[in-house]
Amino acid sequence: MTAQQPDPRRWLTLLAVMLAFLPVVLDMTILHVAVPTLTQDLRASANAVLWIIDIYPLLMAGLVVPMGTLADKVGARKILLLGLVVFGLASALAAFSTSAGLLIAARGLLAMGGAMVMPSVLGIIRKTFEDDGERAMALGLWGTVGAAGAAVGPLIGGGLLAHFWWGSVFLVNVPVMLVVAPACALLLPKGEATMPGRWPIGQALLLIAGMMLLVYGIKAGFGAKQPLPLIALIVLAGAALLAIFVRWQLRSRTPMLDMTLFSHPAIVAGIIMAVVASGALAGVELTLAQELQYVLGKTPLQAGFFMIPIMVAAALGGPVAGTLSNRFGLRSVACVSLLIAAACLGALGLSDFGEPGLAVPALLAVLGLTLSIGLTASSIAIMGSVEAAKGGAAGSLEATSYELGTGFGITIFGVFMSAVFAASIDLPPELAPPLAEQASRSIGDAFLVAHGMGGEEAAALIGAAKRAFSQSHTALLSTAAMILAFLAVAVFFLLGSYRARSSPAH
């Protein structure tokens, strides 16, 4: 099918891949409002909670490039459908987990299914929409599903937790998959072009091993109390494997990852935008969900309703980004949206969530809108800089960026919050040293210690934990605001020649 004769079923194809993508992106944030309940029920430590949340995006980050290449070899439709099946089975396993370790393993299996779906979705969109304007609009609609799905996750999670146990936030995926998988099998075209040759499994394993060692080493350095020499050894091993992988790609006749993609400044800008914007969105939502429940005493459902402004505004961000980019240019839209998002984060850092008034919902709405626009702008920059034949590879890079951003955002926000919390909390003097050490790790650990004490001591500890958490959110959101502002400046320079570079590809 040529650009002059577009596929008449292309919008049905877009509907199918958006249906496939929705449950994957919902799972990134639906767990956020369940963290307090899950922490208490499984008696999970702060470090275990961070692993439960971000093993999903971090493991997926190492899998999406190999899975995207595999999709190019055997067909995106087949890999997408297989990924949906794996995702449904893993959801059932996660729902009935009886320990933090089992839940972490189930979340890892969820990541495998999600890694099959993500690059397949983006590759199909790139191959289906050759026209620049239509592709920008299609990616805008896809971005709506991504941003709104991530935003609506806490609301759905809160609604489920109002009536069921925490495992329901996973079990809900099973009936969804029973609807989505047949719909995709029916709507997606069966015939598709594939790339010749064998899937380079050796390159795939090398990339996965390198990514996971590097990510684990960085995460252990941030959050776990591992010996520094061990952390350094793990990070160096991961970096060495990735260096070997890059060298292999540059010399191979059939590389898994086309390294020439990184020669496009627009692709580099898109990757950076995806990492930072997705990290900021995930980190802010997790922080907000904990403050609303732990500090303000809201139920999971009430916390979900509090975040409705982010959800509604994020749903508008995708189409708005596509329309504005076609009219004013991607560079202007990306930079302005990031600067506005930075201003919103700074203002939220100074806000009192206990007395939100109209200002806090308005700030949340503008934040959701601008971050959604930024995420869609990253998609347009990446997917618009390559020809259709490289859509799968570019989609894999973008998906990796989202997962790394989400995973590192949760980790960095969580660890930063824990550090500020530990420095801010004024523990009751009569608290025994082992309990004091545990209570100072996080607000979740403080509540666990308090529930085991009872009486006035428990009330004093909970009060101290609430005050410390409220104080630390100002530092956290202000730091995130500065990072987004610096990103806007970097994107301004990187996207300077976007149009000139993308035009020949079309």
Side-chain angles (χ1 to χ4, degrees):
M1 194 66 63
T2 65
Q4 290 73 29
Q5 295 178 325
D7 186 347
R9 289 169 49 90
R10 61 193 181 282
W11 298 107
L12 284 177
T13 299
L14 178 64
L15 174 62
V17 295
M18 288 195 300
L19 286 174
F21 181 59
L22 180 59
V24 177
V25 74
L26 275 174
D27 214 65
M28 293 180 188
T29 59
I30 196 173
L31 191 60
H32 288 180
V33 294
V35 166
T37 305
L38 181 153
T39 301
Q40 308 304 315
D41 287 352
L42 294 181
R43 301 194 65 79
S45 67
N47 195 47
V49 168
L50 284 179
W51 271 114
I52 289 170
I53 296 171
D54 65 13
I55 187 63
Y56 177 79
L58 292 180
L59 182 58
M60 198 187 296
L63 291 171
V64 287
V65 170
M67 291 302 174
T69 306
L70 182 61
D72 287 338
K73 298 292 184 184
V74 304
R77 180 179 182 273
K78 294 178 182 177
I79 297 301
L80 187 145
L81 293 175
L82 179 60
L84 293 176
V85 172
V86 172
F87 198 87
L89 294 174
S91 296
L93 178 62
F96 296 105
S97 297
T98 56
S99 67
L102 184 57
L103 183 53
I104 292 170
R107 292 274 288 170
L109 190 59
L110 275 168
M112 180 176 293
M116 295 178 182
V117 173
M118 288 278 284
S120 300
V121 166
L122 286 166
I124 289 171
I125 291 176
R126 179 61 188 89
K127 292 174 183 177
T128 303
F129 294 92
E130 281 292 329
D131 178 76
D132 287 355
E134 282 195 351
R135 184 171 59 254
M137 184 55 64
L139 287 170
L141 293 171
W142 169 82
T144 296
V145 174
V152 79
L155 180 60
I156 295 176
L160 290 170
L161 289 172
H163 301 92
F164 306 105
W165 91 116
W166 62 263
S168 61
V169 301
F170 296 109
L171 194 61
V172 69
N173 289 331
V174 177
V176 171
M177 287 300 166
L178 291 176
V179 175
V180 170
C184 288
L186 179 65
L187 293 175
L188 289 178
K190 294 182 173 60
E192 59 178 314
T194 57
M195 293 178 59
R198 301 175 63 182
W199 187 51
I201 188 171
Q203 297 179 34
L205 293 176
L206 187 64
L207 175 62
I208 293 170
M211 285 286 290
M212 293 314 302
L213 282 173
L214 185 63
V215 167
Y216 176 78
I218 293 173
K219 179 175 174 56
F222 271 118
K225 296 181 178 179
Q226 300 287 348
L228 183 59
L230 177 60
I231 293 173
L233 182 62
I234 293 172
V235 170
L236 288 175
L241 290 180
L242 291 178
I244 295 171
F245 173 79
V246 171
R247 186 186 179 99
W248 195 346
Q249 302 311 291
L250 294 174
R251 294 186 171 188
S252 175
R253 294 182 179 178
T254 57
M256 169 170 285
L257 178 61
D258 185 356
M259 302 302 295
T260 63
L261 293 175
F262 292 98
S263 66
H264 296 271
I267 290 181
V268 175
I271 290 172
I272 296 173
M273 279 192 289
V275 169
V276 177
S278 60
L281 185 61
V284 168
E285 284 190 347
L286 178 61
T287 303
L288 186 56
Q290 292 187 79
E291 178 153 3
L292 291 171
Q293 293 178 75
Y294 279 128
V295 178
L296 301 180
K298 295 184 180 295
T299 66
L301 182 58
Q302 289 172 332
F305 274 114
F306 193 95
M307 295 188 215
I308 280 182
I310 295 181
M311 173 190 68
V312 174
L316 302 174
V320 168
T323 302
L324 293 180
S325 296
N326 287 332
R327 183 171 182 179
F328 299 108
L330 182 64
R331 184 193 199 187
S332 299
V333 171
C335 293
V336 172
S337 67
L338 290 172
L339 286 174
I340 295 174
C344 289
L345 279 176
L348 285 170
L350 301 174
S351 300
D352 181 3
F353 295 142
E355 298 289 340
L358 294 176
V360 170
L363 288 170
L364 290 175
V366 177
L367 178 65
L369 178 67
T370 50
L371 284 179
S372 175
I373 291 174
L375 288 171
T376 303
S378 72
S379 298
I380 296 173
I382 294 171
M383 304 307 291
S385 298
V386 299
E387 60 270 22
K390 295 183 179 180
S396 298
L397 281 179
E398 183 177 354
T400 300
S401 304
Y402 284 134
E403 304 317 318
L404 280 177
T406 301
F408 279 127
I410 290 170
T411 298
I412 294 171
F413 269 63
V415 172
F416 188 92
M417 181 65 79
S418 295
V420 178
F421 177 85
S424 303
I425 190 169
D426 185 14
L427 293 170
E430 64 274 10
L431 200 60
L435 294 179
E437 195 274 334
Q438 180 183 354
S440 64
R441 293 174 188 163
S442 70
I443 192 168
D445 282 300
F447 269 65
L448 282 174
V449 172
H451 288 168
M453 295 167 53
E456 294 183 1
E457 290 184 356
L461 177 56
I462 288 176
K466 288 181 177 182
R467 289 189 294 273
F469 196 92
S470 294
Q471 294 170 8
S472 55
H473 96 256
T474 299
L476 181 68
L477 296 182
S478 300
T479 302
M482 289 189 289
I483 293 173
L484 280 182
F486 282 121
L487 173 62
V489 176
V491 167
F492 177 81
F493 290 103
L494 287 170
L495 289 181
S497 57
Y498 169 71
R499 288 185 178 180
R501 290 180 181 274
S502 64
S503 298
H506 313 293

